[in-house]
Amino acid sequence: MGFPQQVERATMESDVIIGVLDTGIWPESLSFDDKGLGPPPSKWKGSCQFQPQDNFTCNNKIIGAKYYRSDGLFLPDDFESPRDSDGHGTHTASTAAGNLVDGASLYAFGSGTARGGVPSARIAVYKICWSDGCEDADILAGFDDAISDGVDIISISVGGGQTKDYFEDAISIASFHAMKNGILTVSSAGNEGPGRSTISNFSPWSLSVAASTIDRKFSTKVQLGNNKIYEGVSINTFDLKNKTYPMIYGGDAANTTSTSTISSRFCFPNSLDKNLVKGKIVLCDTKRGKGIGALLAGAAGTVARDQDGVDHSSLFPLPASCFNLVDGRNIFQYVNSTRYDYSIRI
């Protein structure tokens, strides 16, 4: 985006406080080191609710942290504190105000320097989302505290799958109150684009931000037994040591005790016959399952063909590559051919 990689911490930007309403934060991340930052701005009135078991208290970067659970029921997968057990809140906080971190990558993919939009800004955490979702009561309580604590901007990357009337939407109501107090709310547009009418946060008194594309492509090649090579997309962190595996179409490997061929072609969890799939590459008719069904069935990898297109790369829990319908049809025809041995290499 052209941001500089040199940031002076002692600037007016260090007086900016961003309230992040999300799943909490992982405070040990280098993105939240407070080296070079002075004490919090005098306008700050918030507090820190990290628990002793967190082995962390607020610093001059993370100047506040609170958590909200209106029903008082905490699930085993969650931390009863502002600590992040999901990762989404840590991601959004670092995107907004993370420090510059050299050598950032995902298993050497996308190596470079990570930095937030305003690296010198302070972060106030309001954990309003948990493993089972985000309740309206917690969203409203988080907004109320952020406003009274003295934040300058509120960031909330939360949205539903469908739109609501302003008077029934907690984020619209809360962001209106923030606006009346001179605080801008920045919210996510949603994850359903780029189709029409897919934005979920659109109140005129807030700023909705959509995802962007990048100038890089993460591809994974697939070589069939007939030596034809197709290039799909995925962030493939696995190494199959150039080994060849047999291939099977998910629609031909249905777990007939619990599902049908219609479900197995999509490789949804429990839809595949483990005896037929184990140790093979499975061809699936969608990428939406992210390979979970193939993994649970013992597959060595998965190849997905999807009519939704492959404009971005996804992570999978096993070797994988995703294709559009054109290349996907060619691979499907190969699997259904009697002339080849159905072997494949990812």
Side-chain angles (χ1 to χ4, degrees), residues 49-324:
Q49 291 181 339
F50 278 114
Q51 304 298 334
Q53 63 267 25
D54 288 314
N55 295 316
F56 186 88
T57 187
C58 291
N59 57 20
N60 289 330
K61 181 66 174 178
I62 304 173
I63 62 174
K66 298 179 180 179
Y67 64 100
Y68 307 83
R69 185 72 186 190
S70 54
D71 62 8
L73 302 175
F74 296 92
L75 303 178
D77 293 337
D78 292 319
F79 295 114
E80 191 176 340
S81 82
R83 183 174 286 280
D84 186 5
S85 61
D86 177 271
H88 190 269
T90 302
H91 156 64
T92 56
S94 63
T95 301
N99 295 325
L100 277 73
V101 180
D102 295 330
S105 73
L106 174 67
Y107 297 102
F109 285 93
S111 181
T113 298
R115 61 153 284 175
V118 190
S120 298
R122 317 302 178 111
I123 296 172
V125 178
Y126 301 87
K127 182 176 178 178
I128 47 96
C129 294
W130 305 79
S131 59
D132 58 349
C134 320
E135 295 295 330
D136 284 355
D138 298 329
I139 293 173
L140 293 170
F143 264 91
D144 281 346
D145 280 353
I147 293 169
S148 62
D149 287 344
V151 306
D152 298 295
I153 299 173
I154 291 176
S155 170
I156 178 166
S157 292
V158 175
Q162 60 185 31
T163 59
K164 296 180 180 179
D165 184 271
Y166 292 146
F167 295 98
E168 298 176 355
D169 179 42
I171 296 177
S172 294
I173 294 170
S175 60
F176 183 84
H177 286 278
M179 179 270 296
K180 289 178 63 178
N181 285 272
I183 301 170
L184 172 66
T185 297
V186 183
S187 58
S188 58
N191 296 324
E192 303 302 320
R196 295 179 179 179
S197 303
T198 55
I199 186 171
S200 57
N201 292 315
F202 51 85
S203 60
W205 46 81
S206 64
L207 176 65
S208 295
V209 182
S212 62
T213 56
I214 60 175
D215 59 355
R216 291 179 290 186
K217 179 181 179 181
F218 300 103
S219 59
T220 301
K221 294 180 179 179
V222 169
Q223 181 176 347
L224 305 183
N226 57 7
N227 292 324
K228 288 188 176 181
I229 298 176
Y230 296 92
E231 185 176 282
V233 297
S234 70
I235 301 176
N236 185 30
T237 62
F238 301 92
D239 184 3
L240 291 180
K241 308 295 183 182
N242 208 33
K243 183 179 178 181
T244 299
Y245 291 83
M247 190 176 194
I248 189 171
Y249 175 52
D252 296 330
N255 177 7
T256 56
T257 62
S258 62
T259 188
S260 65
T261 301
I262 296 177
S263 296
S264 68
R265 60 187 283 254
F266 298 120
C267 301
F268 291 146
N270 302 317
S271 68
L272 298 170
D273 188 325
K274 294 182 179 180
N275 295 322
L276 296 175
V277 167
K278 186 176 181 180
K280 298 178 181 178
I281 305 292
V282 185
L283 174 63
C284 307
D285 283 342
T286 184
K287 62 181 179 181
R288 283 179 292 170
K290 294 293 181 69
I292 299 297
L295 177 71
L296 294 175
T302 184
V303 170
R305 55 178 190 159
D306 202 313
Q307 64 180 355
D308 291 335
V310 285
D311 58 348
H312 68 278
S313 301
S314 299
L315 274 168
F316 289 79
L318 75 174
S321 189
C322 301
F323 295 89
N324 57 33

